[in-house]
Protein backbone atom coordinates (compact mmCIF):
# COMPACT_ATOMS: atom_id res chain seq x y z
CA UNK A 1 0.00 0.00 0.00
CA UNK A 2 1.27 3.50 -0.78
CA UNK A 3 2.52 5.69 2.04
CA UNK A 4 1.43 9.31 2.05
CA UNK A 5 3.63 11.97 3.64
CA UNK A 6 1.77 15.06 4.80
CA UNK A 7 3.20 18.36 3.52
CA UNK A 8 5.90 20.05 5.55
CA UNK A 9 5.34 23.69 6.53
CA UNK A 10 6.02 25.83 3.47
CA UNK A 11 7.30 29.03 5.07
CA UNK A 12 9.06 29.68 8.41
CA UNK A 13 7.09 32.90 8.81
CA UNK A 14 3.69 31.17 8.61
CA UNK A 15 1.58 32.04 11.66
CA UNK A 16 0.58 28.43 12.27
CA UNK A 17 2.80 25.42 11.55
CA UNK A 18 0.86 22.29 10.75
CA UNK A 19 2.12 18.98 12.05
CA UNK A 20 3.65 16.50 9.61
CA UNK A 21 2.73 12.83 9.61
CA UNK A 22 2.90 9.77 7.36
CA UNK A 23 -0.05 7.50 6.60
CA UNK A 24 -0.32 4.27 4.59
CA UNK A 25 -3.30 4.36 2.23
CA UNK A 26 -5.11 1.20 1.03
CA UNK A 27 -5.43 0.68 -2.74
CA UNK A 28 -8.12 2.93 -4.18
CA UNK A 29 -7.95 5.49 -1.35
CA UNK A 30 -6.62 9.01 -1.85
CA UNK A 31 -5.61 11.94 0.33
CA UNK A 32 -6.08 15.58 -0.59
CA UNK A 33 -5.15 18.64 1.49
CA UNK A 34 -7.91 21.10 2.31
CA UNK A 35 -5.69 24.19 2.54
CA UNK A 36 -4.47 26.50 -0.21
CA UNK A 37 -3.36 23.60 -2.41
CA UNK A 38 -6.76 21.88 -2.32
CA UNK A 39 -7.99 23.22 -5.67
CA UNK A 40 -4.91 22.08 -7.57
CA UNK A 41 -4.92 18.69 -5.82
CA UNK A 42 -8.58 18.13 -6.70
CA UNK A 43 -8.02 19.17 -10.33
CA UNK A 44 -5.12 16.72 -10.64
CA UNK A 45 -7.13 13.93 -9.01
CA UNK A 46 -10.15 14.44 -11.25
CA UNK A 47 -7.96 14.68 -14.38
CA UNK A 48 -6.30 11.35 -13.51
CA UNK A 49 -9.62 9.71 -12.76
CA UNK A 50 -11.08 10.63 -16.16
CA UNK A 51 -7.89 10.43 -18.23
CA UNK A 52 -8.54 8.96 -21.68
CA UNK A 53 -12.32 9.09 -21.39
CA UNK A 54 -14.35 11.05 -23.97
CA UNK A 55 -15.29 14.50 -22.73
CA UNK A 56 -18.68 14.51 -24.41
CA UNK A 57 -19.74 11.45 -22.41
CA UNK A 58 -17.93 11.96 -19.11
CA UNK A 59 -17.51 15.74 -18.96
CA UNK A 60 -20.61 16.38 -16.77
CA UNK A 61 -19.65 13.57 -14.39
CA UNK A 62 -16.11 14.94 -14.13
CA UNK A 63 -17.47 18.42 -13.39
CA UNK A 64 -19.82 17.09 -10.68
CA UNK A 65 -17.02 15.13 -9.00
CA UNK A 66 -14.72 18.15 -8.93
CA UNK A 67 -17.45 20.44 -7.60
CA UNK A 68 -18.45 17.93 -4.93
CA UNK A 69 -14.86 17.46 -3.74
CA UNK A 70 -14.31 21.23 -3.59
CA UNK A 71 -17.44 21.63 -1.47
CA UNK A 72 -16.33 18.90 0.93
CA UNK A 73 -12.80 20.36 1.13
CA UNK A 74 -14.18 23.84 1.87
CA UNK A 75 -16.39 22.46 4.65
CA UNK A 76 -13.46 20.56 6.15
CA UNK A 77 -11.26 23.67 5.95
CA UNK A 78 -13.86 25.78 7.78
CA UNK A 79 -13.97 23.10 10.48
CA UNK A 80 -10.20 23.25 10.94
CA UNK A 81 -9.30 20.21 8.86
CA UNK A 82 -5.87 19.52 7.38
CA UNK A 83 -6.53 16.65 4.98
CA UNK A 84 -9.31 14.52 3.53
CA UNK A 85 -8.94 10.76 2.98
CA UNK A 86 -11.53 8.78 1.03
CA UNK A 87 -11.96 5.93 -1.47
CA UNK A 88 -12.55 6.78 -5.10
CA UNK A 89 -14.81 3.73 -5.44
CA UNK A 90 -16.35 1.13 -3.16
CA UNK A 91 -16.12 -2.60 -4.08
CA UNK A 92 -19.80 -3.22 -3.32
CA UNK A 93 -23.13 -2.16 -4.79
CA UNK A 94 -24.81 -0.95 -1.61
CA UNK A 95 -25.34 2.61 -0.33
CA UNK A 96 -22.48 2.66 2.20
CA UNK A 97 -19.54 5.08 1.98
CA UNK A 98 -16.75 6.39 4.16
CA UNK A 99 -14.59 9.47 4.54
CA UNK A 100 -11.88 10.67 6.92
CA UNK A 101 -11.07 14.21 8.03
CA UNK A 102 -7.68 14.76 9.69
CA UNK A 103 -7.40 17.87 11.86
CA UNK A 104 -5.13 19.54 14.39
CA UNK A 105 -6.84 20.54 17.63
CA UNK A 106 -5.32 22.82 20.27
CA UNK A 107 -6.06 22.64 23.99
CA UNK A 108 -4.92 24.56 27.06
CA UNK A 109 -2.64 21.76 28.28
CA UNK A 110 0.73 23.39 29.17
CA UNK A 111 3.17 20.59 28.34
CA UNK A 112 3.67 17.29 26.55
CA UNK A 113 3.32 15.51 29.89
CA UNK A 114 0.02 17.23 30.57
CA UNK A 115 -1.24 16.31 27.12
CA UNK A 116 -0.29 12.66 27.68
CA UNK A 117 -2.12 12.68 31.01
CA UNK A 118 -5.12 14.31 29.37
CA UNK A 119 -5.20 11.52 26.80
CA UNK A 120 -5.22 8.93 29.57
CA UNK A 121 -8.02 10.72 31.40
CA UNK A 122 -10.10 10.88 28.23
CA UNK A 123 -10.33 7.08 28.21
CA UNK A 124 -13.27 6.71 30.62
CA UNK A 125 -15.10 9.75 29.22
CA UNK A 126 -17.24 7.54 26.96
CA UNK A 127 -18.33 3.89 27.07
CA UNK A 128 -16.62 3.16 23.75
CA UNK A 129 -13.37 5.08 24.33
CA UNK A 130 -10.06 3.28 24.81
CA UNK A 131 -6.35 4.09 24.76
CA UNK A 132 -4.78 2.48 21.68
CA UNK A 133 -1.11 1.95 20.81
CA UNK A 134 -0.01 2.91 17.30
CA UNK A 135 3.28 3.59 15.53
CA UNK A 136 2.77 7.27 16.39
CA UNK A 137 2.37 6.45 20.07
CA UNK A 138 -0.55 6.16 22.44
CA UNK A 139 -3.82 7.73 21.40
CA UNK A 140 -7.48 7.78 22.35
CA UNK A 141 -9.83 5.78 20.12
CA UNK A 142 -13.56 6.42 20.40
CA UNK A 143 -16.38 4.86 18.44
CA UNK A 144 -19.91 6.29 18.23
CA UNK A 145 -22.78 4.37 16.64
CA UNK A 146 -25.67 6.56 15.54
CA UNK A 147 -29.32 5.47 15.83
CA UNK A 148 -30.62 3.03 13.23
CA UNK A 149 -33.81 3.74 11.28
CA UNK A 150 -36.95 2.50 13.10
CA UNK A 151 -39.52 0.33 11.39
CA UNK A 152 -41.78 2.27 9.06
CA UNK A 153 -39.07 4.80 8.11
CA UNK A 154 -37.50 4.83 4.66
CA UNK A 155 -34.74 2.27 5.08
CA UNK A 156 -32.82 3.54 2.05
CA UNK A 157 -32.30 7.04 3.43
CA UNK A 158 -28.55 7.65 3.52
CA UNK A 159 -27.19 9.13 6.77
CA UNK A 160 -24.16 8.85 9.05
CA UNK A 161 -24.30 5.55 10.91
CA UNK A 162 -20.90 5.42 12.68
CA UNK A 163 -18.08 7.77 13.66
CA UNK A 164 -14.64 6.69 14.88
CA UNK A 165 -12.06 9.14 16.25
CA UNK A 166 -8.33 8.75 16.93
CA UNK A 167 -6.59 11.52 18.90
CA UNK A 168 -2.79 11.71 19.34
CA UNK A 169 -0.81 14.28 21.35
CA UNK A 170 1.55 15.92 18.83
CA UNK A 171 5.23 15.63 19.88
CA UNK A 172 6.89 18.97 20.52
CA UNK A 173 3.59 20.86 20.31
CA UNK A 174 2.26 21.20 23.86
CA UNK A 175 -1.50 21.30 23.99
CA UNK A 176 -2.01 20.05 20.42
CA UNK A 177 -3.67 16.87 19.16
CA UNK A 178 -3.81 15.26 15.75
CA UNK A 179 -7.40 14.03 15.33
CA UNK A 180 -8.49 11.61 12.62
CA UNK A 181 -12.26 11.19 12.28
CA UNK A 182 -13.91 8.49 10.20
CA UNK A 183 -17.56 8.89 9.20
CA UNK A 184 -19.39 5.92 7.70
CA UNK A 185 -22.60 6.87 5.92
CA UNK A 186 -25.27 4.67 4.44
CA UNK A 187 -28.71 3.23 4.84
CA UNK A 188 -28.90 2.60 8.62
CA UNK A 189 -30.18 -0.97 8.50
CA UNK A 190 -28.87 -4.21 9.97
CA UNK A 191 -28.12 -5.86 6.62
CA UNK A 192 -25.30 -3.39 5.96
CA UNK A 193 -23.63 -3.66 9.37
CA UNK A 194 -20.93 -6.13 8.17
CA UNK A 195 -19.74 -3.48 5.69
CA UNK A 196 -19.70 -0.85 8.44
CA UNK A 197 -17.59 -3.20 10.55
CA UNK A 198 -15.23 -3.89 7.63
CA UNK A 199 -14.71 -0.16 7.05
CA UNK A 200 -14.04 0.33 10.76
CA UNK A 201 -11.41 -2.42 10.72
CA UNK A 202 -9.78 -0.90 7.65
CA UNK A 203 -9.71 2.50 9.35
CA UNK A 204 -8.07 0.94 12.42
CA UNK A 205 -5.33 -0.56 10.22
CA UNK A 206 -4.77 2.82 8.55
CA UNK A 207 -4.52 4.58 11.91
CA UNK A 208 -2.03 2.02 13.20
CA UNK A 209 0.24 3.04 10.28
CA UNK A 210 0.38 6.74 11.27
CA UNK A 211 3.86 7.98 12.18
CA UNK A 212 5.33 11.43 12.68
CA UNK A 213 7.32 12.79 9.74
Amino acid sequence: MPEFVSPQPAAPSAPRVRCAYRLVLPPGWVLIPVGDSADAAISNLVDRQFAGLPTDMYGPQKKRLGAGLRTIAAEARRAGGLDLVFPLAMPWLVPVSAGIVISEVCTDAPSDTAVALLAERMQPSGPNATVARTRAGRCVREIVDLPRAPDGIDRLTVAAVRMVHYSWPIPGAPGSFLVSALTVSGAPIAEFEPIVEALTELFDVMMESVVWA
Side-chain angles (χ1 to χ4, degrees):
M1 291 188 290
E3 185 176 60
F4 173 83
V5 181
S6 66
Q8 295 284 350
S13 59
R16 185 170 182 268
V17 177
R18 61 166 283 168
C19 64
Y21 64 93
R22 294 201 301 270
L23 169 69
V24 176
L25 298 178
W29 287 66
V30 297
L31 184 149
I32 59 173
V34 301
D36 294 338
S37 59
D39 191 69
I42 291 171
S43 294
N44 291 335
L45 173 63
V46 172
D47 287 344
R48 292 197 307 270
Q49 185 73 2
F50 289 87
L53 298 176
T55 303
D56 57 342
M57 293 181 60
Y58 293 93
Q61 185 177 348
K62 178 180 178 180
K63 185 176 181 180
R64 286 195 300 271
L65 176 60
L69 291 177
R70 287 181 175 87
T71 298
I72 295 171
E75 292 173 351
R77 182 166 56 248
R78 286 193 294 269
L82 299 175
D83 300 305
L84 287 174
V85 182
F86 55 90
L88 285 177
M90 288 293 192
W92 45 72
L93 297 177
V94 296
V96 179
S97 62
I100 302 166
V101 178
I102 299 176
S103 308
E104 186 176 342
V105 177
C106 297
T107 71
D108 294 328
S111 66
D112 287 345
T113 300
V115 169
L117 290 173
L118 177 60
E120 291 289 356
R121 291 171 184 171
M122 287 171 63
Q123 179 177 0
S125 65
N128 295 316
T130 60
V131 171
R133 295 184 180 275
T134 69
R135 293 176 64 193
R138 290 183 301 174
C139 65
V140 174
R141 176 188 184 272
E142 184 174 11
I143 183 169
V144 178
D145 283 319
L146 304 174
R148 298 295 192 262
D151 293 338
I153 302 299
D154 183 3
R155 287 158 53 91
L156 294 181
T157 300
V158 174
V161 296
R162 171 172 289 180
M163 300 184 70
V164 187
H165 299 89
Y166 276 71
S167 302
W168 293 267
I170 299 173
S176 295
F177 285 87
L178 181 70
V179 178
S180 182
L182 166 74
T183 300
V184 180
S185 299
I189 58 178
E191 287 86 343
F192 296 155
E193 288 184 1
I195 296 177
V196 175
E197 294 298 332
L199 286 169
T200 302
E201 292 179 8
L202 180 60
F203 178 64
D204 288 335
V205 172
M206 294 167 65
M207 295 303 99
E208 290 172 3
S209 77
V210 172
V211 296
W212 305 112

